[in-house]
């Protein structure tokens, strides 16, 4: 019977469609900086996309309040009405900005 080899964890990180072996140190500091910057950009993109989704949800809620009639205070309905018009445009602007990123 062959001796068992100790199991070594296979730790990898996916960044920009590349598999990075975390057990292997980067060849240079510049490579490490490049990898960390790519990770930061990916995380920032996720956050911006989450903001876009929240703006769309807020616009839907604002439409409900604007159309809610006398149950809501007049000032709140007016602000909600303006937000219902503005937020979708803001979300589309963010989507356009994100789509232009490399």
């Amino acid at each position: 019977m062959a001796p068992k080899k100790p199991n070594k964890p296979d730790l990898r990180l996916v960044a920009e469609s590349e598999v990075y072996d975390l057990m292997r140190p980067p060849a240079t500091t510049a490579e490490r900086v490049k990898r960390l910057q790519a990770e930061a950009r990916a995380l920032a993109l996720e956050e911006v996309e989450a903001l876009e989704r929240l703006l769309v949800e807020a616009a839907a809620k604002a439409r409900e309040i604007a159309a809610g009639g006398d149950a809501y205070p007049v000032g709140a309905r007016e602000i909600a009405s303006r937000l219902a018009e503005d937020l979708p445009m803001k979300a589309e602007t963010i989507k356009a900005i994100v789509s232009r990123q490399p």
Side-chain angles (χ1 to χ4, degrees):
M1 184 181 287
K4 286 187 173 182
K5 293 182 182 179
N7 288 338
K8 193 174 181 184
D10 187 18
L11 303 175
R12 296 175 190 202
L13 176 68
V14 177
E16 289 189 334
S17 302
E18 295 178 20
V19 175
Y20 182 80
D21 184 356
L22 290 176
M23 298 304 287
R24 177 184 63 87
T28 65
T29 300
E31 287 178 0
R32 183 171 180 227
V33 168
K34 184 178 178 182
R35 180 177 52 84
L36 291 172
Q37 286 173 335
E39 289 177 33
R41 281 191 299 274
L43 179 59
L45 180 61
E46 288 175 18
E47 289 294 299
V48 170
E49 289 171 344
L51 174 61
E52 178 193 338
R53 286 189 301 276
L54 288 171
L55 289 175
V56 170
E57 290 174 21
K61 179 59 76 177
R63 274 190 297 280
E64 290 175 18
I65 291 171
D70 293 336
Y72 296 96
V74 174
R77 288 193 322 250
E78 290 174 5
I79 291 171
S81 177
R82 282 186 244 136
L83 286 172
E85 290 178 22
D86 292 345
L87 291 179
M89 290 184 291
K90 303 291 186 198
E92 285 299 316
T93 301
I94 288 174
K95 184 184 282 188
I97 291 168
V98 167
S99 70
R100 291 191 305 243
Q101 297 302 308

